[in-house]
Amino acid sequence: MRGYRRPDGRIGIRNHVMVLSTCGCANVVARRIAAAVPGAVAVPCAKGCGQVGTGIEIMRRCLRNLAANPNVFGTLLVGLGCESTRPYELAERIRTALDKPLEVITIQDLGGSERAVERGAELARALVARAADLERCEMTLADLVLGTNCGGSDATSGLAANPVVGVVSDAVVAAGGTVMLGETTELIGTEDILADRANSFEVAQDIYRIVGGLERSFAETGVDVRGANPSPGNMAGGLSTLEEKALGGISKGGVSPIRQVVPYGEIPSERGLVIMDTPGYDIESVSGMTAGGAQALIFTTGRGTPIGNPLIPVIKVTGNCETAERMGDNIDFDASGAVEGTVTIGELGAHLLKLLERVCDGEQPAAERLGFDDFAIFHNQEVWCTCLP
């Protein structure tokens, strides 16, 4: 495999110039800049203003860490100029932490959207030209941070697709790489199993803390999580309870020890299997792992989910032969043979690992090839900040 070495030593599998909006008011300008510059990708920010407390801190942390993602060569921050995220202060924080190309503009300082698009496009073109000069280097699975997620799950997800991903996860961990397991909502009922796999008492306590904190917040607010989990599609696909869904979902993490639990959008400090405290909503979960440094993500789906991400390739795996046929333009890997008994989980895992390696080398999975660039940062400070330092 070959990638792009960054100044901090990490290696990206893509070489993006990111046009990053710092608030919702700058999204259109950011998108127009990226559309005008081949090689640039826009990453929108739905909020970034009108937030207080931990909500704005989560937003700032995610924006800062997106610039640090190894798939990003350099960043153009696009702000309005009066938002809570404070574009120039954010730029200074990024410059202090990273030795990467960074530019920043605000629409108000430049005198309007048209001037901002014009100036932003000039800066983005210069960054793309510099990125094109970067030569690729050798990399191994030890250099990889792999995200995992499941969405539109059905009974075949836990039987086939997720266990196949688990084989890949164990291989990445064994090679010295990092794998992220998330979707805290869908860990409920499996916390004892996960805590038994923790490599320390502190990690086990963190697992209980994020799951227990979430359950308490549901109880205190009178929310019935069963209203959304399992979803109507999950139930139509044969999943009866949240615990059944969770037992299948955690198999994406294989059998490796759990070495760390990190807050949403945080970059892990440990290698190996890591849990990130993400929501069950797929786009926000994948976006949090992207901020956490994932260069690629494997996404399992029983019923078919087409989402992607602007910065990282998302590989779609299904264990449902009907979905593989019906939504073939969205699915990259068919694991239904494990359900049918024609091939083993281990054999499928070996084939999926080869696909992952090809994607790291530049092959585009369906979501990337079709241009799916779904992105949203989760910012609910009351439910998801139980792991914040």
Side-chain angles (χ1 to χ4, degrees), residues 30-58:
R31 289 193 181 100
R32 287 185 58 190
I33 291 170
V37 182
V41 294
V43 177
C45 178
K47 298 281 286 187
C49 199
Q51 297 170 285
V52 295
T54 52
I56 193 63
E57 291 307 314
I58 291 171

mmCIF file of all heavy atoms in Angstrom, residues 30-58:
data_model
loop_
_atom_site.group_PDB
_atom_site.id
_atom_site.type_symbol
_atom_site.label_atom_id
_atom_site.label_comp_id
_atom_site.label_asym_id
_atom_site.label_seq_id
_atom_site.Cartn_x
_atom_site.Cartn_y
_atom_site.Cartn_z
ATOM 1 N N ALA A 30 -18.401 27.950 1.041
ATOM 2 C CA ALA A 30 -17.428 26.853 1.071
ATOM 3 C C ALA A 30 -17.678 25.879 -0.072
ATOM 4 O O ALA A 30 -16.736 25.428 -0.750
ATOM 5 C CB ALA A 30 -17.487 26.136 2.416
ATOM 6 N N ARG A 31 -18.938 25.545 -0.315
ATOM 7 C CA ARG A 31 -19.260 24.612 -1.404
ATOM 8 C C ARG A 31 -18.919 25.216 -2.770
ATOM 9 O O ARG A 31 -18.419 24.524 -3.665
ATOM 10 C CB ARG A 31 -20.739 24.239 -1.351
ATOM 11 C CG ARG A 31 -21.117 23.336 -0.177
ATOM 12 C CD ARG A 31 -22.523 22.765 -0.372
ATOM 13 N NE ARG A 31 -22.923 21.911 0.732
ATOM 14 C CZ ARG A 31 -23.705 22.282 1.735
ATOM 15 N NH1 ARG A 31 -24.184 23.528 1.759
ATOM 16 N NH2 ARG A 31 -24.031 21.455 2.703
ATOM 17 N N ARG A 32 -19.182 26.500 -2.939
ATOM 18 C CA ARG A 32 -18.887 27.138 -4.221
ATOM 19 C C ARG A 32 -17.386 27.196 -4.474
ATOM 20 O O ARG A 32 -16.925 27.019 -5.608
ATOM 21 C CB ARG A 32 -19.499 28.542 -4.270
ATOM 22 C CG ARG A 32 -21.018 28.540 -4.431
ATOM 23 C CD ARG A 32 -21.554 29.952 -4.587
ATOM 24 N NE ARG A 32 -20.958 30.636 -5.738
ATOM 25 C CZ ARG A 32 -21.115 31.934 -5.977
ATOM 26 N NH1 ARG A 32 -21.834 32.691 -5.145
ATOM 27 N NH2 ARG A 32 -20.566 32.486 -7.040
ATOM 28 N N ILE A 33 -16.617 27.436 -3.427
ATOM 29 C CA ILE A 33 -15.155 27.446 -3.577
ATOM 30 C C ILE A 33 -14.666 26.071 -4.020
ATOM 31 O O ILE A 33 -13.895 25.941 -4.978
ATOM 32 C CB ILE A 33 -14.479 27.854 -2.257
ATOM 33 C CG1 ILE A 33 -14.757 29.329 -1.944
ATOM 34 C CG2 ILE A 33 -12.963 27.607 -2.325
ATOM 35 C CD1 ILE A 33 -14.341 29.744 -0.542
ATOM 36 N N ALA A 34 -15.107 25.028 -3.318
ATOM 37 C CA ALA A 34 -14.662 23.674 -3.653
ATOM 38 C C ALA A 34 -15.106 23.274 -5.050
ATOM 39 O O ALA A 34 -14.365 22.610 -5.782
ATOM 40 C CB ALA A 34 -15.177 22.687 -2.613
ATOM 41 N N ALA A 35 -16.315 23.668 -5.449
ATOM 42 C CA ALA A 35 -16.813 23.323 -6.775
ATOM 43 C C ALA A 35 -15.989 23.981 -7.876
ATOM 44 O O ALA A 35 -15.899 23.448 -8.993
ATOM 45 C CB ALA A 35 -18.279 23.732 -6.899
ATOM 46 N N ALA A 36 -15.379 25.114 -7.563
ATOM 47 C CA ALA A 36 -14.603 25.847 -8.560
ATOM 48 C C ALA A 36 -13.167 25.357 -8.654
ATOM 49 O O ALA A 36 -12.436 25.778 -9.574
ATOM 50 C CB ALA A 36 -14.610 27.342 -8.215
ATOM 51 N N VAL A 37 -12.747 24.488 -7.733
ATOM 52 C CA VAL A 37 -11.342 24.078 -7.665
ATOM 53 C C VAL A 37 -11.248 22.554 -7.669
ATOM 54 O O VAL A 37 -11.459 21.909 -6.636
ATOM 55 C CB VAL A 37 -10.659 24.648 -6.401
ATOM 56 C CG1 VAL A 37 -9.183 24.252 -6.386
ATOM 57 C CG2 VAL A 37 -10.810 26.157 -6.332
ATOM 58 N N PRO A 38 -10.948 21.936 -8.804
ATOM 59 C CA PRO A 38 -10.752 20.481 -8.824
ATOM 60 C C PRO A 38 -9.648 20.076 -7.837
ATOM 61 O O PRO A 38 -8.583 20.681 -7.799
ATOM 62 C CB PRO A 38 -10.328 20.208 -10.265
ATOM 63 C CG PRO A 38 -10.900 21.348 -11.059
ATOM 64 C CD PRO A 38 -10.818 22.540 -10.144
ATOM 65 N N GLY A 39 -9.949 19.059 -7.037
ATOM 66 C CA GLY A 39 -8.993 18.626 -6.018
ATOM 67 C C GLY A 39 -9.331 19.138 -4.632
ATOM 68 O O GLY A 39 -8.723 18.704 -3.645
ATOM 69 N N ALA A 40 -10.303 20.052 -4.545
ATOM 70 C CA ALA A 40 -10.752 20.553 -3.245
ATOM 71 C C ALA A 40 -12.080 19.898 -2.882
ATOM 72 O O ALA A 40 -12.894 19.597 -3.764
ATOM 73 C CB ALA A 40 -10.913 22.070 -3.269
ATOM 74 N N VAL A 41 -12.306 19.669 -1.606
ATOM 75 C CA VAL A 41 -13.572 19.091 -1.138
ATOM 76 C C VAL A 41 -14.149 19.986 -0.048
ATOM 77 O O VAL A 41 -13.426 20.483 0.819
ATOM 78 C CB VAL A 41 -13.389 17.652 -0.603
ATOM 79 C CG1 VAL A 41 -12.990 16.706 -1.715
ATOM 80 C CG2 VAL A 41 -12.375 17.599 0.534
ATOM 81 N N ALA A 42 -15.449 20.208 -0.106
ATOM 82 C CA ALA A 42 -16.133 21.027 0.882
ATOM 83 C C ALA A 42 -16.617 20.159 2.040
ATOM 84 O O ALA A 42 -17.162 19.077 1.826
ATOM 85 C CB ALA A 42 -17.315 21.752 0.253
ATOM 86 N N VAL A 43 -16.431 20.653 3.250
ATOM 87 C CA VAL A 43 -16.965 20.008 4.446
ATOM 88 C C VAL A 43 -17.817 21.043 5.176
ATOM 89 O O VAL A 43 -17.295 22.023 5.702
ATOM 90 C CB VAL A 43 -15.855 19.478 5.370
ATOM 91 C CG1 VAL A 43 -16.451 18.889 6.642
ATOM 92 C CG2 VAL A 43 -15.013 18.431 4.646
ATOM 93 N N PRO A 44 -19.139 20.865 5.192
ATOM 94 C CA PRO A 44 -20.026 21.863 5.786
ATOM 95 C C PRO A 44 -20.112 21.731 7.303
ATOM 96 O O PRO A 44 -19.795 20.683 7.870
ATOM 97 C CB PRO A 44 -21.372 21.554 5.141
ATOM 98 C CG PRO A 44 -21.322 20.065 4.931
ATOM 99 C CD PRO A 44 -19.892 19.753 4.589
ATOM 100 N N CYS A 45 -20.558 22.788 7.941
ATOM 101 C CA CYS A 45 -20.773 22.799 9.387
ATOM 102 C C CYS A 45 -22.177 23.331 9.628
ATOM 103 O O CYS A 45 -22.467 24.493 9.369
ATOM 104 C CB CYS A 45 -19.727 23.676 10.068
ATOM 105 S SG CYS A 45 -19.901 23.833 11.842
ATOM 106 N N ALA A 46 -23.062 22.462 10.110
ATOM 107 C CA ALA A 46 -24.466 22.852 10.252
ATOM 108 C C ALA A 46 -24.672 23.887 11.349
ATOM 109 O O ALA A 46 -25.592 24.693 11.288
ATOM 110 C CB ALA A 46 -25.326 21.626 10.527
ATOM 111 N N LYS A 47 -23.848 23.857 12.385
ATOM 112 C CA LYS A 47 -24.008 24.784 13.509
ATOM 113 C C LYS A 47 -22.821 25.752 13.528
ATOM 114 O O LYS A 47 -22.631 26.494 12.585
ATOM 115 C CB LYS A 47 -24.108 23.994 14.813
ATOM 116 C CG LYS A 47 -25.310 23.065 14.869
ATOM 117 C CD LYS A 47 -26.602 23.776 15.188
ATOM 118 C CE LYS A 47 -26.702 24.175 16.633
ATOM 119 N NZ LYS A 47 -28.028 24.716 16.987
ATOM 120 N N GLY A 48 -22.041 25.735 14.622
ATOM 121 C CA GLY A 48 -20.883 26.612 14.711
ATOM 122 C C GLY A 48 -21.184 27.970 15.308
ATOM 123 O O GLY A 48 -20.287 28.781 15.524
ATOM 124 N N CYS A 49 -22.468 28.225 15.570
ATOM 125 C CA CYS A 49 -22.852 29.479 16.200
ATOM 126 C C CYS A 49 -24.113 29.232 17.015
ATOM 127 O O CYS A 49 -24.814 28.237 16.817
ATOM 128 C CB CYS A 49 -23.078 30.560 15.153
ATOM 129 S SG CYS A 49 -23.030 32.238 15.845
ATOM 130 N N GLY A 50 -24.408 30.110 17.952
ATOM 131 C CA GLY A 50 -25.574 29.940 18.798
ATOM 132 C C GLY A 50 -25.435 28.776 19.753
ATOM 133 O O GLY A 50 -26.442 28.260 20.258
ATOM 134 N N GLN A 51 -24.206 28.346 20.003
ATOM 135 C CA GLN A 51 -23.951 27.233 20.905
ATOM 136 C C GLN A 51 -23.176 27.727 22.119
ATOM 137 O O GLN A 51 -22.405 28.691 22.037
ATOM 138 C CB GLN A 51 -23.136 26.136 20.206
ATOM 139 C CG GLN A 51 -23.835 25.486 19.037
ATOM 140 C CD GLN A 51 -22.887 24.596 18.263
ATOM 141 O OE1 GLN A 51 -22.033 25.062 17.528
ATOM 142 N NE2 GLN A 51 -23.036 23.285 18.439
ATOM 143 N N VAL A 52 -23.354 27.045 23.243
ATOM 144 C CA VAL A 52 -22.648 27.403 24.461
ATOM 145 C C VAL A 52 -22.114 26.138 25.118
ATOM 146 O O VAL A 52 -22.488 25.018 24.769
ATOM 147 C CB VAL A 52 -23.573 28.145 25.454
ATOM 148 C CG1 VAL A 52 -24.016 29.481 24.881
ATOM 149 C CG2 VAL A 52 -24.789 27.287 25.820
ATOM 150 N N GLY A 53 -21.238 26.335 26.102
ATOM 151 C CA GLY A 53 -20.769 25.223 26.931
ATOM 152 C C GLY A 53 -20.084 24.143 26.130
ATOM 153 O O GLY A 53 -19.328 24.407 25.195
ATOM 154 N N THR A 54 -20.371 22.888 26.481
ATOM 155 C CA THR A 54 -19.685 21.774 25.837
ATOM 156 C C THR A 54 -20.080 21.630 24.371
ATOM 157 O O THR A 54 -19.327 21.068 23.583
ATOM 158 C CB THR A 54 -19.974 20.460 26.583
ATOM 159 O OG1 THR A 54 -21.392 20.315 26.742
ATOM 160 C CG2 THR A 54 -19.308 20.438 27.929
ATOM 161 N N GLY A 55 -21.250 22.143 23.984
ATOM 162 C CA GLY A 55 -21.669 22.049 22.594
ATOM 163 C C GLY A 55 -20.689 22.747 21.669
ATOM 164 O O GLY A 55 -20.268 22.189 20.646
ATOM 165 N N ILE A 56 -20.298 23.982 21.996
ATOM 166 C CA ILE A 56 -19.359 24.696 21.135
ATOM 167 C C ILE A 56 -17.969 24.106 21.247
ATOM 168 O O ILE A 56 -17.189 24.099 20.284
ATOM 169 C CB ILE A 56 -19.355 26.215 21.460
ATOM 170 C CG1 ILE A 56 -18.636 26.999 20.354
ATOM 171 C CG2 ILE A 56 -18.727 26.485 22.817
ATOM 172 C CD1 ILE A 56 -19.303 26.918 19.019
ATOM 173 N N GLU A 57 -17.619 23.553 22.408
ATOM 174 C CA GLU A 57 -16.309 22.924 22.556
ATOM 175 C C GLU A 57 -16.200 21.664 21.699
ATOM 176 O O GLU A 57 -15.150 21.392 21.109
ATOM 177 C CB GLU A 57 -16.032 22.595 24.027
ATOM 178 C CG GLU A 57 -15.819 23.826 24.898
ATOM 179 C CD GLU A 57 -14.753 24.751 24.338
ATOM 180 O OE1 GLU A 57 -13.675 24.263 23.931
ATOM 181 O OE2 GLU A 57 -15.005 25.968 24.276
ATOM 182 N N ILE A 58 -17.268 20.876 21.638
ATOM 183 C CA ILE A 58 -17.271 19.708 20.751
ATOM 184 C C ILE A 58 -17.093 20.155 19.306
ATOM 185 O O ILE A 58 -16.316 19.566 18.544
ATOM 186 C CB ILE A 58 -18.583 18.916 20.906
ATOM 187 C CG1 ILE A 58 -18.647 18.244 22.266
ATOM 188 C CG2 ILE A 58 -18.727 17.871 19.796
ATOM 189 C CD1 ILE A 58 -19.994 17.615 22.575
#
